[in-house]
Amino acid sequence: MTVTGAVPPGKLGRTLPHEHVLTDFVGADRSGPHRYRREEVVEVMLPRLQEIAAQGVRSFVDCTPMYLGRDVRLLQELSRRTGLQILTNTGQYKEPFLPESTFRISAEELAQGWIGEMERGIDGTDVRPGFIKTAVPPGALAAVQRKVIEAAAITSGRTGLTIATHMEDGEPVEEILAVLEHRGVAPQRWILVHAHNLGSAAAMAQLAERGVWISLDGVRRESEREFLRLALDLLEAGAEKRLLLSQDAGWYNVGEERGGQQVPYTFLFAGFLPRLREAGVPEATLRHLTEANPGEAFALP
Ligand SMILES: [Zn+2]
C-alpha cells in the first residue's frame, strides 16, 4: 500500500525499505506541520529523491512515524513529482515520543486508532499506511512499550500490515515475538529494524530462520565494512530470503536551517551493491535482496 494507492508486491521494483524524508524530534505534543514550510521541504528533498529515481529505484519506504514528523501530504506530493512509490506507516515510536494518551488507553483502543487509519485514511486524506512502525528502547519492555507492541499485533492481525520495530539491542526480541505469537501474528509479519544493533550475524541468522525480516538499514559509506561483513555472513548462513538492505538516510531535520545536512540516498546502489558484487554475490541474489524481499516483506496478505 503506497501513498498513492495499492500496488502489486511484484511491482515494487528496486526498493529502499528504511529511509526518512523528514523527522522532528521536538516531542509528541509539539510536533506537526506548523513547524516547517512544506514547500521548503519539497525544495530540499525533491532533488535527493530524484537522484535515486535516476538510479532505477522505484519504491521508497518512509519510516517516520506519527508524532515524529509523519506528513502524508508531503509524501504524496514527492511521490507525484518523482514517480517513486512511497510507503508510509501507522503506529507509534517509543518514549519520550509517545503522546500522553498512549499511557492512559488500552492496547485495543490504541489499535482502533491505527486500524482507523487503514480503513479511513491518515490525517483527513485518503492515504493509507503500508506498514506499522513501532520502536522499543534497549532492555526489557516497559509496560507502555509492551502495550504499543500489543496494539501493533492487534492492528496487524486485523489489517494484514507488517510490523517494523526499531530496536537498539537484542534483549526485547523474544518478548516481542511472544506477544506477536500470542496474538497470532507470524514472525514473517515482523521486521527487526536496525538488526545490526544485535551485533552477531549468528543471532540474526537464527531469527531469519524463524521467519523474521532482518533489516540491515544503516548502510553508509562510513559503516561499509561492518555491513559488508554482516551481509556476507548472513548470505553464507542462508538468510538471503529474509534480508533487507537500506540506509536510514535523509532527512530534513525540523528545527535546523533548511533541515540541516542531509545524507544522500544513493550509497546503497552506487557504493554498497558493487562491493557485494566484487565479493562474489550473484546478480540474482542482489536483485532478490533489493526487489523481491521488500515486495514480500510489505505485502498485504
Ligand atoms: Zn529510521
Side-chain angles (χ1 to χ4, degrees):
M1 182 63 76
T2 77
V3 295
T4 51
V7 169
K11 291 273 193 278
L12 230 48
R14 211 174 240 209
T15 300
L16 290 172
H18 188 112
E19 309 293 340
H20 299 271
V21 168
L22 174 144
T23 58
D24 186 359
F25 287 95
V26 71
D29 27 322
R30 289 173 61 202
S31 69
H34 61 281
R35 297 248 310 144
Y36 50 87
R37 285 197 314 113
R38 202 173 272 140
E39 313 82 78
E40 185 185 284
V41 180
V42 169
E43 217 174 275
V44 171
M45 298 312 291
L46 182 63
R48 298 291 178 190
L49 292 168
Q50 284 166 334
E51 281 172 356
I52 47 170
Q55 287 182 322
V57 172
R58 304 248 10 243
S59 301
F60 177 101
V61 180
D62 188 82
C63 289
T64 298
M66 66 171 103
Y67 303 114
L68 221 73
R70 183 190 62 172
D71 182 341
V72 298
R73 289 177 177 86
L74 170 70
L75 297 179
Q76 234 179 3
E77 180 175 351
L78 288 167
S79 173
R80 290 204 178 105
R81 292 181 63 174
T82 56
L84 287 169
Q85 306 176 126
I86 300 181
L87 279 71
T88 186
N89 62 84
T90 190
Q92 284 177 21
Y93 204 58
K94 60 185 168 80
E95 282 191 273
F97 301 98
L98 298 171
E100 181 268 327
S101 59
T102 301
F103 294 83
R104 270 190 294 107
I105 64 179
S106 68
E108 177 64 41
E109 288 169 306
L110 198 50
Q112 279 313 321
W114 304 350
I115 294 164
E117 291 199 328
M118 187 61 172
E119 287 172 347
R120 294 183 291 278
I122 299 171
D123 296 339
T125 70
D126 60 359
V127 174
R128 276 137 212 250
F131 64 107
I132 304 158
K133 174 74 187 282
T134 55
V136 295
L141 291 185
V144 71
Q145 301 295 165
R146 194 181 163 87
K147 194 199 292 186
V148 166
I149 297 297
E150 273 173 5
I154 296 168
T155 305
S156 178
R158 297 209 196 129
T159 61
L161 290 170
T162 297
I163 303 165
T165 306
H166 159 116
M167 306 278 292
E168 291 167 32
D169 73 355
E171 206 185 322
V173 166
E174 291 306 325
E175 207 178 338
I176 291 172
L177 283 170
V179 172
L180 300 187
E181 193 187 355
H182 179 71
R183 299 272 180 182
V185 177
Q188 286 80 357
R189 301 275 81 197
W190 188 50
I191 301 173
L192 203 174
V193 173
H194 312 322
H196 41 279
N197 287 340
L198 266 60
S200 123
M204 292 176 223
Q206 272 177 16
L207 289 164
E209 214 157 290
R210 288 160 69 187
V212 173
W213 290 101
I214 303 299
S215 180
L216 294 184
D217 46 42
V219 177
R220 305 268 182 101
R221 195 173 296 283
E222 62 274 17
S223 58
E224 176 186 302
R225 277 159 65 143
E226 176 202 346
F227 279 84
L228 198 56
R229 190 69 268 148
L230 283 174
L232 291 172
D233 286 351
L234 280 162
L235 291 174
E236 176 93 358
E240 174 184 337
K241 294 206 155 57
R242 291 288 117 183
L243 185 55
L244 299 169
L245 297 174
S246 210
Q247 307 157 121
D248 206 7
W251 51 70
Y252 185 103
N253 199 21
V254 178
E256 285 185 57
E257 174 78 18
R258 285 184 73 79
Q261 186 67 45
Q262 283 77 43
V263 178
Y265 302 118
T266 48
F267 182 68
L268 182 70
F269 288 101
F272 193 69
L273 289 201
R275 296 289 92 75
L276 285 174
R277 222 171 259 131
E278 282 162 25
V281 178
E283 209 53 45
T285 305
L286 296 179
R287 217 169 24 248
H288 201 94
L289 297 179
T290 54
E291 299 183 23
N293 282 356
E296 192 186 331
F298 293 97
L300 286 163

